[in-house]
Amino acid sequence: MKLRELLAPGTRQPAEDERLLQLYWNRAELKKELTRLQDERHKLLEQLRNHEATFVRHSEQLLHLEEFLGNPETGAHALVYFQLRSLWRATSAKVARFAQQLQQQQAEREQRRLHIEFDRTRRQQLADFDRRIGSARSRAETLDAQVKLEEARLEKMRGFWNYARRRKLAEQIEAERAEWDLAMTEVTDLSDDRTALEDKPPPPLEGISIDGRRIVNTAVIAYAQQLVATMSGGGLAVLAKETTTKRVFDMQYGTREECARLMLLLREALAAIKNEKDDLSGLKERTDALRAVAAYRSDADTVPLTDSIGTMPMPPALVSGLEAGNKAGVNVLVDDYWDLYQALLQ
């Protein structure tokens, strides 16, 4: 049988047409899946090549570092470098913890103020409800007493000559009963609203206010400045900062004796940084001075302009050749000391 005869509409059953269509769609789906798997294979191969290149690069760096550490002339510089890196990480972590503590304290403080304001407003509203409920209840009691008196009068009216008077008094009583119903409904509604207000929980704090964030940020900046001042001896703060932008192979810290003196200072500085009992003496004065001069780009900004906080003078370091900008002074925001921007509230 020829192919043309097989494809002719009259020569096939509907079930055969359905199977042919199903095979066609299955073939299309398989081609799509094959293309997807091929693309995924290419991506995985590319990732594997990248990982292999990274592994080779890191292996070369490790070998270079081992040779650097094993060299008596350069090993001491590497020790100083990595101790400075450790000092930087420990100090950055300390600034971050300090910022988190201040943030939590400020949030609790603002939450308490929010609760106090909410309670004050609620007390005023409850007092207003009590006044309105009392007024509505008094009106209802007055109407009830008046209705009872007029019902007694209506009961005493006898004879056909009092027909008109009885009808008028009955209409008056009905109107007063309607007013009493309205007054009692108002009492019930007001009482329900008062109960709902009394049971209403205080609202949650949606976020620290701009002023609150500024308070936290200026204290954190002052704290970072104080840590720079604490580690100014021997230029440790500046040297630690340089390890964030320079490789260990590019650093020189002087003679072995100078490296030994630096490591002694670093041991003391690390012990002070890791001490849980932080020395915060002078921090309040530094923070108050900073808040007095801090300027902001707009009313919505929470981080001061870098120029407004000024620079800190740095004493001569044990290592010569520090950058002229560092010798001129340190601006903890400009230089992002202790990863300061990560700790600040934006």
Side-chain angles (χ1 to χ4, degrees):
M1 187 180 291
K2 296 182 179 180
L3 179 62
R4 182 178 299 174
E5 294 176 352
L6 289 173
L7 296 176
T11 62
R12 298 192 313 272
Q13 298 297 323
E16 294 178 354
D17 291 338
E18 184 67 25
R19 283 197 297 272
L20 286 174
L21 285 174
Q22 189 65 37
L23 288 172
Y24 173 78
W25 288 116
N26 288 345
R27 178 175 177 273
E29 290 296 324
L30 287 173
K31 287 182 67 177
K32 287 171 57 177
E33 182 65 15
L34 178 61
T35 302
R36 187 188 67 80
L37 291 173
Q38 287 175 340
D39 292 341
E40 185 176 353
R41 176 178 178 274
H42 290 316
K43 290 180 182 178
L44 291 174
L45 287 174
E46 183 65 24
Q47 290 178 4
L48 180 60
R49 284 191 291 268
N50 292 336
H51 287 316
E52 288 176 347
T54 301
F55 176 77
V56 171
R57 186 170 62 253
H58 287 171
S59 297
E60 292 174 351
Q61 290 177 351
L62 180 60
L63 180 60
H64 191 186
L65 181 59
E66 289 177 354
E67 293 175 352
F68 194 81
L69 286 168
N71 188 335
E73 299 298 327
T74 59
H77 301 290
L79 291 175
V80 174
Y81 177 90
F82 288 115
Q83 288 182 28
L84 286 167
R85 288 286 297 162
S86 178
L87 178 64
W88 178 271
R89 286 193 297 269
T91 310
S92 297
K94 191 160 192 172
V95 170
R97 287 194 301 271
F98 182 75
Q100 290 172 358
Q101 291 172 359
L102 288 185
Q103 180 180 352
Q104 182 179 356
Q105 292 171 5
Q106 183 65 28
E108 292 173 353
R109 198 154 40 237
E110 294 194 9
Q111 185 70 64
R112 284 196 299 270
R113 283 202 296 265
L114 184 64
H115 285 187
I116 291 172
E117 179 63 23
F118 174 79
D119 288 339
R120 185 185 66 81
T121 303
R122 180 165 58 181
R123 284 197 298 271
Q124 293 176 349
Q125 293 173 341
L126 289 175
D128 182 62
F129 271 120
D130 291 338
R131 179 186 59 77
R132 292 167 63 189
I133 291 171
S135 176
R137 183 175 285 117
S138 176
R139 186 166 64 255
E141 291 173 353
T142 300
L143 288 169
D144 183 59
Q146 190 170 343
V147 166
K148 289 179 178 178
L149 288 174
E150 290 174 351
E151 285 177 342
R153 286 176 54 199
L154 183 62
E155 183 67 23
K156 293 179 180 179
M157 288 182 181
R158 303 292 182 180
F160 68 90
W161 56 89
N162 286 323
Y163 174 78
R165 294 175 60 192
R166 283 201 306 270
R167 182 176 179 179
K168 182 177 180 181
L169 184 57
E171 291 176 352
Q172 183 177 345
I173 291 172
E174 190 63 28
E176 290 174 350
R177 280 176 179 166
E179 289 185 20
W180 178 85
D181 286 338
L182 290 175
M184 289 304 299
T185 300
E186 184 178 3
V187 169
T188 302
D189 292 343
L190 289 173
S191 298
D192 292 342
D193 292 342
R194 187 190 187 285
T195 300
L197 176 61
E198 196 169 22
D199 295 338
K200 183 179 179 181
L205 183 68
E206 296 181 357
I208 299 177
S209 64
I210 291 178
D211 288 339
R213 281 178 278 171
R214 288 180 175 181
I215 289 172
V216 171
N217 287 344
T218 48
V220 174
I221 293 171
Y223 186 63
Q225 289 178 336
Q226 181 156 311
L227 289 173
V228 170
T230 301
M231 287 180 283
S232 61
L236 294 184
V238 174
L239 293 174
K241 171 62 180 174
E242 286 190 335
T243 63
T244 64
T245 56
K246 296 181 180 180
R247 302 185 311 161
V248 60
F249 314 110
D250 302 327
M251 300 303 298
Q252 296 289 328
Y253 298 104
T255 65
R256 292 184 184 180
E257 290 75 15
E258 290 172 330
C259 289
R261 287 199 296 270
L262 276 175
M263 284 190 280
L264 180 61
L265 291 174
L266 282 166
R267 187 183 309 163
E268 296 173 353
L270 276 170
I273 290 298
K274 294 180 179 180
N275 188 359
E276 295 183 359
K277 294 182 179 179
D278 206 357
D279 183 11
L280 300 179
S281 59
L283 180 60
K284 184 180 184 305
E285 291 76 9
R286 188 184 293 274
T287 303
D288 291 341
L290 181 60
R291 288 173 184 165
V293 298
Y296 300 87
R297 193 178 304 278
S298 69
D299 293 339
D301 285 342
T302 57
V303 178
L305 295 170
T306 55
D307 294 341
S308 67
I309 70 168
T311 58
M312 301 174 59
M314 299 300 295
L318 293 179
V319 179
S320 59
L322 294 179
E323 297 174 0
N326 287 331
K327 290 183 178 180
V330 168
N331 185 308
V332 293
L333 279 178
V334 172
D335 300 317
D336 194 21
Y337 263 80
W338 322 128
D339 300 317
L340 182 57
Y341 276 101
Q342 295 182 18
L344 297 178
L345 295 176
Q346 302 297 325

